[in-house]
Amino acid sequence: MTKPFTTVFAVYDNMTHLDFTGPHQILCRLPDAQTVIASRDGGDIVAEGNLVIGRTQKLSDIDRCDLLCVPGGVTATQIALDEAFVAEVRRLGQGAKYVTSVCTGSLILGAAGLLQGKRAACHWAWRELLSEFGASVDEGRVVRDGNTFTGGGVTAGIDFALTMVAEIAGEAYAKALTLGYEYAPAPPFPGGRPELAEPETLTAYNRMMARVMDQRRAEAREAGERMRAQAGVA
């Protein structure tokens, strides 16, 4: 019998749950497919906002997948230093047909050595950190480089997932899902990207992020050093 197309979401505590739930809602509708939610230790994980995602499988128990997706989150650079988690992402990613991420999940792919020499997207506030992993920053909302698909910040995960559906099941099916989910964004406030935001809004956001940027930059730098050492790259 033909094996079903298998998508694995590699999840972790304090991830941004829309990075996961948005794509999951769409990718779980792929025909003749199965969707697996897995974490380092299995069991429950607690996403940002105290949302519990229960009964996750253990990453090390999963032999393979066709599509690997890593969501982002406020702890992404900390997770990039979790050697056990990163090793499982590396193992599954090396055998997957598609290697994917949403938001700062691309930093975890980078830590696993899966973005070296590739163009990749990330949340705009953190995309500069991709250079620590040998990746090139692409400001696109959904970026493809070979078999690697990366989505930008948070809500880009829905665009990313529909792009993947078109790739896997065809454009007609992706269009039908777009209609079925009534995906017709009309945000109440413009400015969801830095080049569209009002100057005072951008300044306020950057000031807020500055409180954690030094820590995240240091974590990304350390994760990049570990990745290069593991890969034998100077």
Side-chain angles (χ1 to χ4, degrees), residues 67-69 98-103 106 109 114-115 117-124 127 130 135-153 155-164 167 193:
L67 188 156
L68 173 68
C69 184
Y98 299 107
V99 176
T100 75
S101 65
V102 179
C103 197
S106 58
L109 291 184
L114 299 173
L115 294 184
K118 292 181 177 288
R119 293 179 297 105
C122 188
H123 188 287
W124 65 266
R127 59 192 176 204
L130 285 167
S136 299
V137 174
D138 191 309
E139 297 181 6
R141 190 161 171 83
V142 180
V143 175
R144 179 178 191 172
D145 191 329
N147 73 330
T148 303
F149 290 74
T150 49
T155 60
I158 297 174
D159 299 49
F160 146 76
L162 289 167
T163 300
M164 294 310 309
E167 167 76 15
R193 291 180 64 92

Side-chain angles (χ1 to χ4, degrees), residues 28-234:
C28 74
R29 294 287 186 91
L30 281 168
D32 303 315
Q34 65 177 358
T35 306
V36 177
I37 307 167
S39 61
R40 188 190 66 183
D41 301 323
D44 295 354
I45 68 107
V46 183
E48 188 178 358
N50 206 35
L51 178 68
V52 177
I53 298 169
R55 297 186 298 177
T56 72
Q57 295 188 35
K58 195 172 181 178
L59 279 166
S60 59
D61 289 341
I62 298 170
D63 293 333
R64 56 166 297 279
C65 64
D66 296 288
L67 188 156
L68 173 68
C69 184
V70 182
V74 296
T75 55
T77 49
Q78 295 173 31
I79 297 300
L81 293 171
D82 184 329
E83 295 183 1
F85 187 94
V86 169
E88 295 301 334
V89 168
R90 181 186 304 114
R91 177 182 64 82
L92 289 169
Q94 287 173 341
K97 184 175 182 180
Y98 299 107
V99 176
T100 75
S101 65
V102 179
C103 197
T104 50
S106 58
L107 302 178
I108 299 172
L109 291 184
L114 299 173
L115 294 184
Q116 293 182 75
K118 292 181 177 288
R119 293 179 297 105
C122 188
H123 188 287
W124 65 266
W126 314 110
R127 59 192 176 204
E128 69 175 78
L129 301 179
L130 285 167
S131 63
E132 298 288 347
F133 307 105
S136 299
V137 174
D138 191 309
E139 297 181 6
R141 190 161 171 83
V142 180
V143 175
R144 179 178 191 172
D145 191 329
N147 73 330
T148 303
F149 290 74
T150 49
V154 192
T155 60
I158 297 174
D159 299 49
F160 146 76
L162 289 167
T163 300
M164 294 310 309
V165 169
E167 167 76 15
I168 296 161
E171 186 174 301
Y173 190 75
K175 287 179 176 179
L177 282 186
T178 300
L179 176 61
Y181 286 125
E182 197 176 351
Y183 184 51
F189 306 105
R193 291 180 64 92
E195 63 270 21
L196 302 174
E198 297 170 343
E200 58 271 25
T201 302
L202 182 58
T203 297
Y205 185 84
N206 283 335
R207 186 181 301 117
M208 180 173 61
M209 290 297 101
R211 301 170 189 168
V212 295
M213 178 51 102
D214 286 347
Q215 177 184 344
R216 291 188 178 182
R217 188 178 289 114
E219 290 166 347
R221 186 177 300 115
E222 182 179 350
E225 290 171 353
R226 291 186 186 183
M227 179 273 294
R228 290 187 291 275
Q230 196 276 335
V233 178

